[in-house]
Amino acid sequence: MEVLYTGFKGINNSSHQLLSKISGQKLFLTNSFKGLEKDIMNVTDKFDLVVMFGLDTSLKEFVRIESVAEVEDTKRITEVDCERICRCLMASGVESVVSEVPTQYLCNAAYFNALQKFDGKVIFIHIPSLKNMSEDMMDRIVKCMEEMGNEYRV
């Protein structure tokens, strides 16, 4: 089974930094609505799971797992077990919560497009900015994602 990891372009973006540490197939998304939609729609490979990362400057030393994306009153809900990912992160020492409230702006648009493209087999994880996340926390997230990726590859 194949896993795709996505984050946003920009060397100072924590999602970019995190993706740089994860092994596997990656897609760095453009920081614009049209650009990220094109990036996602141009993926031709089949993936069993897409794990998306985005930056939320309000987070400090914990992550938020998004279960819903919404655009123009149309909601898309992930088919991925959010609680399972939350447990994996917690077991790795990363505080995490699951949210059922759609976010706004680029992350929500990226998630919405990916949920449509990959038939709901997508999860979006908001992570803190570089200044609000320790290197240890980033390494723990990487460890959890690689363990989870290995489970999906089996």
Side-chain angles (χ1 to χ4, degrees):
M1 296 188 141
E2 293 297 320
V3 179
L4 174 66
Y5 299 96
T6 76
F8 287 87
K9 293 178 181 176
I11 193 76
N12 294 319
N13 187 308
S14 56
S15 70
H16 183 279
Q17 295 283 328
L18 181 68
L19 244 59
S20 297
K21 293 180 171 227
I22 293 176
S23 58
Q25 296 191 56
K26 303 170 199 169
L27 173 64
F28 292 92
L29 300 171
T30 305
N31 289 298
S32 72
F33 289 100
K34 293 262 189 231
L36 67 83
E37 181 178 1
K38 184 178 176 186
D39 293 343
I40 292 166
M41 295 308 158
N42 284 338
V43 174
T44 56
D45 294 338
K46 297 283 185 194
F47 294 96
D48 302 294
L49 175 66
V50 178
V51 180
M52 306 181 83
F53 293 97
L55 163 67
D56 183 335
T57 57
S58 70
L59 299 178
K60 290 185 174 69
E61 291 294 326
F62 77 97
V63 301
R64 187 177 63 245
I65 301 163
E66 307 297 346
S67 62
V68 179
E70 182 176 17
V71 172
E72 297 177 0
D73 296 327
T74 300
K75 286 187 180 181
R76 298 204 185 281
I77 300 170
T78 185
E79 298 291 322
V80 178
D81 184 349
C82 296
E83 294 299 330
R84 177 180 173 205
I85 293 172
C86 190
R87 285 190 303 272
C88 176
L89 286 162
M90 297 287 268
S92 296
V94 177
E95 291 294 318
S96 59
V97 297
V98 176
S99 174
E100 296 177 358
V101 179
T103 63
Q104 302 299 314
Y105 205 56
L106 287 175
C107 293
N108 179 66
Y111 195 23
F112 187 89
N113 287 313
L115 284 165
Q116 179 178 346
K117 167 83 177 185
F118 299 103
D119 298 321
K121 297 175 185 123
V122 183
I123 193 68
F124 196 103
I125 303 171
H126 270 110
I127 61 175
S129 64
L130 293 173
K131 74 176 186 174
N132 290 331
M133 177 170 42
S134 66
E135 191 71 26
D136 181 59
M137 180 184 181
M138 191 176 287
D139 291 342
R140 290 171 185 265
I141 295 169
V142 170
K143 179 182 179 228
C144 175
M145 292 303 112
E146 289 180 346
E147 287 173 3
M148 191 175 65
N150 289 335
E151 288 179 29
Y152 274 89
R153 285 186 193 94
V154 173

